[in-house]
Amino acid sequence: MSTPVDPSYQWCGAELDLDAYLARIGYTGDRAPTSATLRALTYAHTTSIPFENLEAILGRAIPLDLKTLQDKMIRRRRGGYCYENVALFAAALERLGFEFNGLSARVTMGAPGLRPATHAILRVLIDGRAWLCDVGFGAGPLEPIELIADRGEFTLGAWRYRLERAENALGVEEWTLHHFGRDGWIDRHTASVTPSYRVDYEVGNHYVSTWPRSPFVTRPFVQRFLPEVHHVLDGTTWTTEYPDGTGETRELAHTDLPKLLAEVFDIELDAADAAELARGGWSVRPEG
């Protein structure tokens, strides 16, 4: 008699409306758990579901249960930040039969010193090869990255990356992803291969969505990543970035935000939320 699998180690794939999810991201391809399928799913998810923290800005909790994620990101066609995107994507991978585990990464973006592990990514295993899937960063990549040491610079679409392997103080394998942008080459994040689970993401999610000094509760931060352009809304600053490192920056009024979100980021807010965001009350909150 087999021992039942503890559901804490699973990703709720059985609860996912797979057809609705695939329709949401516009995926109509093969459903076998292959590297080609993984590549196509990553591309479709990354280019269809924007990164956004608007629920936290509007003073709401950000639950990670699959029912809530499906209602928000599939039925209402909203976006989410890393924990939401990865939880939904992981449920799809589990439902499709992929072998994978969660990882937690330390986002650096060139900053010195030790950073907390508050970014969710996935490590997928296919035919003995390991792939890094980063569908929740908001800035790509468009495809999974095979974990190969000393591979040097490479491109995914038109966007440029580097991946470096090292070991931490305990001898655990770590991977640092670098990307090329407006500031040249910058280290994005570092992740060890120590597995993370849904319960770990719950803890990280609570921290980044409730700590008064978290960047995710102080101002709107929204991204849409496409093959030829990366749009970023940071507070009232709208930045457009291109693969060659060029870009444009525009300052907006609070009242411009709902229209911009709909037209550029594919996020349609209801009338009450649009009015609250346009009011700009989040911009005068005291820091905790």
Side-chain angles (χ1 to χ4, degrees), residues 110-173:
L114 184 64
R115 312 292 291 181
T118 55
H119 178 54
I121 54 180
L122 297 175
R123 177 175 176 265
V124 185
L125 299 175
I126 303 173
D127 297 329
R129 299 159 68 184
W131 302 82
L132 185 72
C133 289
D134 193 8
V135 298
F137 198 80
L142 295 168
E143 300 179 18
I145 300 171
E146 188 171 6
L147 296 178
I148 302 174
D150 304 320
R151 67 181 299 172
E153 181 181 337
F154 59 96
T155 58
L156 295 174
W159 302 90
R160 298 163 61 188
Y161 302 91
R162 291 202 311 261
L163 187 66
E164 295 178 353
R165 183 190 185 281
E167 291 185 354
N168 65 18
L170 298 177
V172 177
E173 178 183 324

Side-chain angles (χ1 to χ4, degrees), residues 105-118 187-190 207 215:
R106 303 180 187 277
V107 177
T108 50
M109 296 300 290
L114 184 64
R115 312 292 291 181
T118 55
D187 52 294
R188 174 188 288 195
H189 54 60
T190 297
Y207 172 76

Side-chain angles (χ1 to χ4, degrees), residues 52-73:
E52 54 132 312
N53 68 330
L54 299 177
E55 294 300 287
I57 296 303
L58 293 168
R60 303 186 187 120
I62 301 183
L64 295 183
D65 65 281
L66 198 61
K67 180 180 179 180
T68 299
L69 294 177
Q70 291 189 100
D71 177 66
K72 178 187 178 187
M73 303 172 76

